[in-house]
Every structure is written in structure tokens, then in C-alpha cells.
Amino acid sequence: MRLIILIGLLLLSAQSLATVYRWVDENGKVHYSDEPKNNAEAIDLNENTQNNITINIPKKLNVTPTTETQINYTISITSPQQEATVRDNNGNFTVSASVAPELPRGVLLTLLIDGVIIAQPQVSPVFQLTGINRGEHSLVVNAVTQSGKVLASSSPRKIFLHQASVFGPAKKSK
């Protein structure tokens, strides 16, 4: 049984070495086939017709590794001014900051009042605050990546929020 399979495989492999024919049609297009056609000529395939690929190994470049240049961002609070008194009975006021150079996409700004993040992280350097309690507060604006890394931070800005009290000074009676 094995002998029959071996003979069959040898016959198939001999058949695969068939002659290749080349001919040109009336439009000038060249055709190749294993079946003879009119005006076809047999082509002898030499070992030279096999594809040979040579791979050039790239030369190593003498490049010294460079450290990534880290961009230094500058954040400063532009409003309210240092030690300013903000007067609002509802505790509403606006904090504005400036950032240089422009932050890359995906970096957000956060506002901390007395070390606590008060507003949602945002792209805009203008924060609208509501319901802040009266008293002395420290403001800081941070540039934060989505992973939570702080890229830059402003200097702390001290402000005073003044709210009128119902309990005013006693009035003199007559």
C-alpha cells in the first residue's frame, strides 16, 4: 500500500514539471499557460528564474539617546487679585487663570480652594463658583492629565470672601 502511494506521488510531482508556453495576443498582451495555443512557444525555465531576495542589514547609527524635553507650563491666577476682598452674600464669584504655553489635548484644569477640589476639571481657565462660605480662602489652579498627574500648579492666591451679616452692630436707641 505504501509503495502505491509513493509511486502515485512521484507521478504527480513529475506532472507538475510541465512545459510553460508563452504567446502574444492580437492586442499585444503577453500570456503564459501550461497548455499550448496557436503561435505559442515553449519556454525553458532555468534556475535563474527563481526569485532571490537579499536583505541588507541596517547599519547601527551612532545616536546618543536624548532625554525628552519636558515643557514647563506656567499657570497664574489673574482674578481675583492677591488678598482681594470679594463681596457677595451668596458666595458667588469667578476665578480666572492664564496658562502658557497652551496645554495639550486631554489636560484639564482644576481649582482647589483651601486644598479641596471645588469645581469639576475643565478645559477653560475660568471657574464660576457658587455657595462658597465667607472667610479667608487659598486658591490654586492645577493642570492635570487624565491619569491624575499634575503638570503645573499656580501659586496660592489668598482672598477674603465677605458676606453681610444679619447680625450687624447694635443701633443706639434714643
Side-chain angles (χ1 to χ4, degrees):
M1 181 69 175
R2 289 183 186 172
L3 183 61
I4 295 173
I5 293 174
L6 182 63
I7 293 173
L9 288 174
L10 288 174
L11 289 175
L12 286 175
S13 65
Q15 192 177 24
S16 66
L17 296 175
T19 306
V20 176
Y21 298 95
R22 176 183 178 268
W23 77 93
V24 179
D25 66 8
E26 60 275 355
N27 297 326
K29 188 173 180 181
V30 178
H31 297 276
Y32 295 91
S33 175
D34 59 350
E35 297 176 8
K37 303 284 184 187
N38 292 339
N39 300 329
E41 60 183 42
I43 297 176
D44 184 26
L45 299 177
N46 299 332
E47 291 181 23
N48 295 339
T49 59
Q50 295 186 10
N51 294 331
N52 293 323
I53 298 174
T54 58
I55 299 174
N56 295 330
I57 299 173
K59 296 177 184 177
K60 292 184 180 180
L61 298 176
N62 293 330
V63 177
T64 57
T66 59
T67 58
E68 290 184 22
T69 56
Q70 183 176 1
I71 299 173
N72 292 325
Y73 296 100
T74 306
I75 301 175
S76 59
I77 298 174
T78 57
S79 173
Q81 297 299 319
Q82 177 71 11
E83 296 189 1
T85 300
V86 178
R87 299 180 194 291
D88 190 292
N89 287 338
N90 295 321
N92 302 338
F93 64 97
T94 301
V95 176
S96 300
S98 66
V99 181
E102 185 177 326
L103 294 172
R105 176 175 268 165
V107 176
L108 301 173
L109 297 172
T110 59
L111 174 66
L112 286 82
I113 297 182
D114 300 326
V116 178
I117 296 177
I118 296 298
Q120 289 291 324
Q122 62 187 37
V123 176
S124 172
V126 178
F127 296 89
Q128 299 289 335
L129 302 175
T130 58
I132 306 300
N133 292 327
R134 66 184 178 150
E136 178 183 324
H137 297 288
S138 176
L139 307 175
V140 175
V141 176
N142 289 336
V144 182
T145 63
Q146 292 180 350
S147 64
K149 179 182 177 187
V150 176
L151 294 180
S153 186
S154 70
S155 300
R157 173 74 49 102
K158 185 192 301 185
I159 65 153
F160 303 98
L161 181 59
H162 178 76
Q163 295 173 336
S165 175
V166 177
F167 305 108
K171 295 182 182 179
K172 292 183 184 180
S173 54
K174 294 183 182 183

